[in-house]
Amino acid sequence: MSFKIIKSEKAEQKYKEWKVLGKPIPCVNSYLKVTGKAAFTDDIIRPNMLYGKILRSPFAHAKIVKIDASEAEALPGVSSVITYKDVETMGVSQKPPAYILTDRVFYVGDVVAAVAAEDEAIAEEALDLIKVEYEPLPFWLTPEEASSAQPMHPEVTKDNIVVGMWPPYYRSVGDIKEGFKGSDIIVDVEFRKPNIKHMFLENFTAVAEWRGDELHVWSHPQVGAVSFAMMLASIFNVPTNKVHVYQCFIGGGFGGKMGDAPLRVAALAAMLAKKSGRPVKIRTNIREHFVEGAVLDPGISTFKYKIGADKLGNLKAIDATVWAGQGERSINLGIVYCGDTIFNTYRIPNRSFKAYPYYTNTPMSQALRAYGSQAGVPPLEEAVNEIAEKLGMDPVDFIIKNGLRDGDIVTQYLHNDFQLAGGSLPELVQKAAEIFNWKEKWKGWSVPTEISGSKRRGIGLAVATHTAWGVPQPDRVKDTVIIKVNVNDGTVEWVTDGRDIGSGFDTVVSQVIAEVLGIDIKDIIHAPPQSVGQPIGGWTFASKALQSTVFAAYNAANNLKRNIITAAASILNVDPNRLVLDLKGTRIYVAGDPTRYVKLSKIGEIYGGILIGIGSCPSHYEGPESYMDPVTGRRLGMKGMFCSFAEVEVDIETGKIDVIKLMVATQPGMILNPLMVYGQLIGSAVHGMGCMLWEGIIYDEKTGTPLNASFIEYPIPTALDVTEDQFVCVTIVDPDDAKLTPYRAKGIAEGIFAAMWHSIHMAVYNAIGRKIREFPLRPEKILRALGKAPFPQTKGVV
Amino acid sequence: MDEGKNDLINGARMRMQKIKLTINGKLYELILGYEVQPWHTLAFTLREKLGLTGTKIGCDRGECGACTVLMDGRPILSCLTLTVECDGKNIETIEGLLNSKTGKLHPIQEAFIESGAFQCGFCTPGMIMSAKALLQRNPNPTLEEIREAMSGNLCRCTGYIPIFNAIMKAAEKMRGMT
Ligand code: FES
Ligand code: FES
């Protein structure tokens, strides 16, 4: 088994206390998923439904001078066509940056028009009949080009710097000048990254239907159904309670189904449905998913990091800048999270981070399994590695000396600073290095661990920290959970407006509720999320479920339990502490004397016939105010701690890299469900391996067209790329590493993804002795670095 | 008069070309030009015409394996197969895996659940059908054979290893049954 769980004594004790938590309970929707009965958006078929198709721009930037859809409209079987002209007549609101259809297109694949017809073939034929005259405009893909280009959105900014949701783009701590003055070694590192894609299997899809002035939408947003309904309500200028969003199962998201592309497809379907007077389904294809779907935030980027240390290897100062092409719009959370990585991975007293997010002619940027830290780690680790190499230090020792640890102050880029409550990189790396056998394998910087023929082996490691509190959100997305008990049989239902994207969110929340209420997980269901009648907050993103949703569920279940017990105590006239809640037996009885009981239905009557519990997360992101360190008086908070060790084999004749071993390790606090944790670790590791070795969009620099818009040309890992003994997942389990959540657990998948990229990168360097300061590490780059490639750099922007 | 018209319609129906598909043991006769068009893919017919939406469409161009079904026991990509090509064939989809008498899950389905072999679940029906084809022709596959057989089915969530474990486990369960 490639999953090691190393438990502390305290952890063992906790596991003994738990009945439902800590067990490898399969996903609560398992039956639906293995039988094909789980309804994804494309599985929704409405009576009299039409099929929609989207006309997309062949230009990376252009103005639509003329558009004539009359021939398309006249084609038999076509019901309606919409262009930007319909936006006004239909009263669709699209304040920037919410573009649905305008007279400008901002990237290849941007939406020009849409058609609804009796079937997809007719709709596609109609697209060809829409006559569009474009006036091509200058376009740019990279931040370097963007900085000197004309403003893309002059209505909001003159210098192409993205107006995102989360400025500022500059922060410093300490005094970097002094820090560099006190440094004995200073290194400068420049690093580049391409645009990378989520490549989930379910393409953007939506079904929309108007019933009078009510809009009904089936979709797969990663934001909650209520939030999605609010967005649609503002687009269509209708009351939010008239927008019914049914959040279907989500066929993979990884951040790429946050908001924009799903919202736009849903809005187009709703416009077509309105114009046609019939339900409309739009199912986009893989190419559309590729050209319209988000890319990782930060997008095409250049990182310049300067870092200094003293002779003993103590880091003194870092001055880091990131320039990124963020696409046609972005909320910019990823780029600022690169700053969080700089501030909170190593103890560096003097730090400065600047971000320059630019509008570029590519689709918007968004989270990809994590926000920013995965992109921010490789350049930081490259810089730190170079310091360690110059000092002749083993990287493990270097991290042990400099890594963030329990009690340190976490400087949050966007929020209040806090004192770290649990988790420590030095401790984690030390334990993981022993398991990996690092000391025996390590032969020094840029020295292969083994040579055989043209094959060179090397090892590497990397660390990362990541948010364990979600990300800051406006107040509207604080999590709320409502639990209902059926008084006739004691079964339980819970709601929040979020949908599991595969991380096991609904399973773990169900486990928490089952644990508090003392019931079997089989007696509890998560009601299908929809906007009307349900509370807000269950966004599934940013490693937040284990804190905010679990917290809300924990509070809801305890509130419910308290209400039931209090009422029963007054009826039975006993101390509430002596009562046992027996939901399965539909009664509450006196401990030690089960003949003295009250029926659940009686309690139900007291509460007006319904037994519900409501709970919300006390404070998003930072943890409850009440969590203060009694000694320092500082506010406490959590971060996830991650490391990854890699061993690779590089063939210096072909440039091919084989990952021989990849060991990821984390301190998750307590593991609430090992099946889910293992799934998340291994899934993240394999996904990340693909990103480091192969993935990356290649653009034709003359037209701005993505050239590898398919699973063949944008290769993601397949079954042939992984074997069981290649991957090891290690968890060091101790409740003190996640002190601030009810069951002492924190999210793990995103941070693993952040750490593992660079471990491969460092291992390749040690194998071949050449620094390649970009990724993916495709064979041609290896050969070029070795001076063996007679061919030039791939044409186009990578 | 009415009778004569009915005869005409019935006659026309008789002369109409039909596509006969046996899907999960049940015979479907679909009228060409009406219920099936020559350009309809099997995936489209299954999902949109017959309501068998368990088969998923991912890429819709033969790259991801999400649409895998079995035709005469062999795995095929239903997004690349025209319905008219399937005339007279035996098709198995994910809907046919449940034991129709007992309502019990197939051992492969059980093993997928026990091994945590899916997360979002979008690739799962296709994965399970590919696994079924493999275990039908090779009840005792090695890990290598499993990797080979599953190489046309993409999964972005699980990293495949839980899927390999599930197929190993399913093979064991199925061998135990015979
Ligand atoms: S949908 Fe058929 S192979 Fe992807
Ligand atoms: S489980 Fe999501 S793609 Fe396989």
Side-chain angles (χ1 to χ4, degrees):
Chain A
M1 182 71 168
S2 56
F3 185 31
K4 293 190 197 329
I5 304 178
I6 301 165
K7 297 179 205 151
S8 70
E9 249 174 58
K10 261 194 193 168
E12 293 279 13
Q13 193 48 43
K14 277 224 165 291
Y15 280 122
K16 278 190 203 131
E17 290 164 17
W18 290 346
K19 293 194 177 65
V20 189
L21 289 168
K23 309 274 183 299
I25 293 172
C27 155
V28 286
N29 289 310
S30 288
Y31 181 89
L32 298 179
K33 288 186 177 175
V34 299
T35 53
K37 293 188 202 305
F40 293 88
T41 309
D42 193 21
D43 301 340
I44 304 300
I45 295 166
R46 301 294 305 159
N48 210 20
M49 186 172 83
L50 295 164
Y51 293 84
K53 281 276 162 204
I54 298 171
L55 181 69
R56 293 181 180 278
S57 165
F59 292 99
H61 197 186
K63 190 164 171 45
I64 298 171
V65 183
K66 230 161 117 190
I67 185 159
D68 176 6
S70 51
E71 264 186 60
E73 276 163 344
L75 185 74
V78 168
S79 171
S80 63
V81 180
I82 50 167
T83 68
Y84 73 88
K85 293 177 185 164
D86 294 272
V87 166
E88 213 167 288
T89 49
M90 291 173 78
V92 172
S93 144
Q94 45 178 4
K95 292 185 214 94
Y99 304 103
I100 310 296
L101 270 170
T102 67
D103 62 352
R104 260 173 85 198
V105 284
F106 294 99
Y107 51 90
V108 170
D110 202 353
V111 180
V112 174
V115 174
E118 296 299 331
D119 74 27
E120 286 189 336
I122 300 172
E124 248 162 44
E125 204 181 323
L127 295 184
D128 291 341
L129 300 176
I130 301 175
K131 295 203 183 76
V132 194
E133 200 179 299
Y134 298 93
E135 178 195 325
L137 299 170
F139 72 92
W140 52 92
L141 304 174
T142 65
E144 287 80 5
E145 294 166 313
S147 64
S148 57
Q150 289 288 311
M152 185 186 294
H153 299 301
E155 68 282 14
V156 290
T157 169
K158 302 273 173 277
D159 57 4
N160 273 329
I161 292 282
V162 178
V163 181
M165 251 158 124
W166 278 286
Y169 302 133
Y170 172 70
R171 182 151 187 205
S172 76
V173 177
D175 182 339
I176 49 166
K177 269 202 193 119
E178 283 303 308
F180 284 118
K181 240 191 246 164
S183 300
D184 300 308
I185 301 181
I186 295 173
V187 303
D188 283 287
V189 161
E190 188 173 329
F191 202 94
R192 280 170 207 283
K193 75 161 270 304
N195 265 346
I196 61 170
K197 290 267 4 151
H198 303 78
M199 301 305 273
F200 34 75
L201 291 199
E202 178 200 38
N203 300 318
F204 303 113
T205 307
V207 177
E209 177 178 335
W210 290 87
R211 298 180 196 159
D213 58 354
E214 272 179 19
L215 172 60
H216 294 249
V217 168
W218 290 259
S219 176
H220 47 55
Q222 257 178 277
V223 301
V226 179
S227 306
F228 202 66
M230 289 174 177
M231 297 174 198
L232 285 166
S234 75
I235 291 172
F236 288 99
N237 221 345
V238 290
T240 304
N241 65 358
K242 299 244 167 171
V243 182
H244 296 243
V245 170
Y246 308 93
Q247 201 174 8
C248 298
F249 279 92
I250 302 173
F254 314 113
K257 285 181 181 158
M258 301 277 302
D260 286 65
L263 182 66
R264 196 178 200 188
V265 172
L268 291 169
M271 283 177 75
L272 287 170
K274 193 166 205 177
K275 205 167 171 185
S276 296
R278 285 166 66 180
V280 172
K281 179 197 279 184
I282 298 180
R283 172 170 61 88
T284 61
N285 62 31
I286 171 71
R287 192 178 146 72
E288 293 178 282
H289 156 184
F290 199 91
V291 294
E292 175 161 24
V295 295
L296 166 64
D297 173 5
I300 297 173
S301 318
T302 302
F303 303 79
K304 282 190 188 164
Y305 289 12
K306 178 176 171 181
I307 188 161
D310 68 14
K311 279 201 263 313
L312 300 172
N314 297 302
L315 290 170
K316 291 287 177 196
I318 182 163
D319 182 9
T321 311
V322 182
W323 293 262
Q326 294 291 71
E328 161 262 335
R329 65 211 131 120
S330 173
I331 57 172
N332 280 341
L333 198 48
I335 191 166
V336 298
Y337 257 85
C338 291
D340 245 46
T341 300
I342 310 266
F343 285 153
N344 302 309
T345 307
Y346 295 100
R347 298 166 131 183
I348 314 178
N350 307 295
R351 294 160 272 177
S352 158
F353 176 73
K354 291 189 211 75
Y356 295 93
Y358 286 105
Y359 285 118
T360 46
N361 294 105
T362 52
M364 80 171 294
S365 50
Q366 260 294 4
L368 196 163
R369 272 206 195 245
Y371 255 126
S373 25
Q374 73 291 62
V377 168
L380 175 67
E381 292 287 76
E382 273 290 296
V384 166
N385 290 171
E386 192 155 320
I387 295 264
E389 178 169 11
K390 289 208 159 126
L391 290 167
M393 277 179 85
D394 179 319
V396 168
D397 299 336
F398 195 87
I399 293 163
I400 290 171
K401 195 173 196 88
N402 289 290
L404 192 77
R405 67 204 68 187
D406 198 1
D408 283 355
I409 301 301
V410 169
T411 311
Q412 294 196 100
Y413 199 77
L414 297 162
H415 251 266
N416 301 333
D417 296 351
F418 62 74
Q419 182 183 318
L420 188 61
S424 161
L425 283 179
E427 204 182 294
L428 173 66
V429 167
Q430 195 156 17
K431 285 191 182 140
E434 279 166 30
I435 300 169
F436 188 77
N437 239 340
W438 176 269
K439 291 278 169 198
E440 262 160 56
K441 289 183 179 164
W442 176 250
K443 294 231 163 60
W445 288 101
S446 89
V447 182
T449 50
E450 236 179 278
I451 298 179
S452 125
S454 62
K455 310 246 168 98
R456 304 279 182 278
R457 282 198 181 193
I459 57 172
L461 83 130
V463 291
T465 63
H466 193 69
T467 174
W469 280 110
V471 292
Q473 286 293 326
D475 282 349
R476 61 193 172 94
V477 286
K478 274 184 185 168
D479 278 31
T480 301
V481 166
I482 300 178
I483 305 172
K484 171 186 141 203
V485 174
N486 295 311
V487 291
N488 60 329
D489 59 5
T491 54
V492 169
E493 296 150 23
W494 65 277
V495 291
T496 185
D497 70 332
R499 181 61 101 171
D500 178 37
I501 48 169
S503 59
F505 148 85
D506 46 5
T507 306
V508 172
V509 174
S510 297
Q511 283 177 268
V512 165
I513 296 170
E515 188 75 42
V516 176
L517 298 180
I519 53 172
D520 195 296
I521 190 121
K522 289 197 185 71
D523 294 323
I524 182 163
I525 65 146
H526 174 206
Q530 59 179 68
S531 59
V532 172
Q534 293 195 1
I536 195 166
W539 294 28
T540 40
F541 75 124
S543 295
K544 71 176 252 303
L546 276 185
Q547 53 90 11
S548 43
T549 321
V550 159
F551 228 129
Y554 176 80
N555 287 342
N558 275 303
N559 288 342
L560 175 68
K561 189 172 170 180
R562 196 175 320 111
N563 291 347
I564 296 174
I565 297 272
T566 312
S570 71
I571 293 170
L572 291 168
N573 208 6
V574 291
D575 178 355
N577 293 324
R578 290 183 56 207
L579 289 179
V580 178
L581 174 63
D582 174 13
L583 281 184
K584 189 91 196 150
T586 61
R587 61 197 189 136
I588 300 95
Y589 61 84
V590 179
D593 184 3
T595 56
R596 285 182 70 198
Y597 67 87
V598 197
K599 291 292 286 177
L600 200 57
S601 49
K602 181 85 195 146
I603 309 289
E605 276 168 31
I606 292 174
Y607 286 109
I610 183 160
L611 277 183
I612 57 167
I614 303 178
S616 59
C617 176
S619 165
H620 211 95
Y621 191 43
E622 295 162 300
E625 304 259 358
S626 55
Y627 285 144
M628 294 288 180
D629 185 301
V631 181
T632 63
R634 285 181 195 278
R635 189 170 184 160
L636 295 172
M638 297 195 309
K639 269 221 168 256
M641 300 286 153
F642 307 92
C643 70
S644 173
F645 287 73
E647 181 173 2
V648 303
E649 185 171 270
V650 186
D651 188 325
I652 57 167
E653 292 304 329
T654 63
K656 184 169 179 287
I657 300 169
D658 281 322
V659 174
I660 306 296
K661 195 58 99 209
L662 192 77
M663 191 190 96
V664 293
T666 182
Q667 294 165 321
M670 295 293 287
I671 290 181
L672 303 189
N673 186 328
L675 201 60
M676 305 291 152
V677 166
Y678 176 61
Q680 289 299 299
L681 291 174
I682 194 76
S684 280
V686 173
H687 188 161
M689 179 178 83
C691 294
M692 188 37 87
L693 296 184
W694 313 302
E695 301 181 25
I697 303 179
I698 301 170
Y699 294 93
D700 175 5
E701 59 191 5
K702 289 206 183 71
T703 62
T705 309
L707 296 173
N708 51 342
S710 73
F711 281 115
I712 304 289
E713 293 143 312
Y714 186 104
I716 69 168
T718 74
L720 291 177
D721 299 311
V722 297
T723 59
E724 166 108 40
D725 51 3
Q726 217 176 355
F727 296 93
V728 182
C729 303
V730 177
T731 48
I732 317 275
V733 177
D734 187 306
D736 287 345
D737 288 334
K739 291 188 198 110
L740 309 183
T741 46
Y743 289 109
R744 305 279 187 267
K746 54 189 176 186
I748 44 97
E750 298 186 316
I752 284 296
F753 190 65
M756 58 86 39
W757 291 18
H758 183 72
S759 60
I760 295 179
H761 203 258
M762 191 213 280
V764 170
Y765 168 61
N766 288 326
I768 64 169
R770 298 287 193 283
K771 289 204 187 295
I772 304 171
R773 292 208 155 135
E774 58 179 327
F775 57 82
L777 297 173
R778 292 193 186 114
E780 74 267 19
K781 284 192 195 150
I782 302 289
L783 293 180
R784 204 176 305 124
L786 288 164
K788 292 192 178 185
F791 43 86
Q793 170 116 25
T794 323
K795 250 323 214 187
V797 178
V798 182
Chain B
M1 178 73 186
D2 269 349
E3 254 172 39
K5 193 174 160 194
N6 275 344
D7 281 351
L8 265 177
I9 292 172
N10 285 337
R13 192 164 274 160
M14 300 272 288
R15 285 191 304 276
M16 274 180 184
Q17 204 180 331
K18 287 185 205 132
I19 303 294
K20 291 188 184 142
L21 301 175
T22 306
I23 302 171
N24 303 324
K26 186 173 161 200
L27 181 68
Y28 292 81
E29 295 191 344
L30 305 170
I31 302 166
L32 189 60
Y34 178 62
E35 287 148 315
V36 178
Q37 299 296 350
W39 58 84
H40 283 173
T41 63
L42 179 60
F44 179 85
T45 302
L46 288 171
R47 292 177 47 82
E48 305 286 329
K49 295 290 169 195
L50 304 176
L52 296 169
T53 54
T55 300
K56 301 299 167 209
I57 298 179
C59 64
D60 212 2
R61 53 196 251 180
E63 295 170 359
C64 74
C67 63
T68 307
V69 300
L70 306 191
M71 185 202 272
D72 295 338
R74 294 169 59 89
I76 58 154
L77 299 175
S78 62
C79 75
L80 282 191
T81 309
L82 293 175
T83 306
V84 290
E85 290 176 81
C86 303
D87 193 19
K89 304 280 194 211
N90 217 321
I91 307 291
E92 280 172 78
T93 71
I94 190 75
E95 285 89 351
L97 247 69
L98 278 182
N99 185 314
S100 54
K101 287 200 192 93
T102 63
K104 269 192 65 167
L105 292 173
H106 189 278
I108 303 177
Q109 293 170 312
E110 284 175 1
F112 264 62
I113 294 176
E114 290 157 14
S115 307
F118 51 87
Q119 288 174 24
C120 79
F122 198 81
C123 68
T124 311
M127 286 282 177
I128 291 178
M129 296 317 288
S130 285
K132 180 161 193 264
L134 166 69
L135 296 179
Q136 253 160 237
R137 64 175 189 270
N138 180 356
N140 194 5
T142 62
L143 185 58
E144 270 320 289
E145 287 163 339
I146 293 176
R147 289 172 70 215
E148 180 74 41
M150 304 309 289
S151 62
N153 290 77
L154 297 179
C155 175
R156 191 58 150 170
C157 301
T158 64
Y160 302 101
I161 289 164
I163 296 172
F164 302 158
N165 295 342
I167 298 173
M168 285 286 190
K169 195 169 201 175
E172 215 171 279
K173 282 177 188 253
M174 287 165 75
R175 287 196 302 271
M177 281 163 49
T178 49

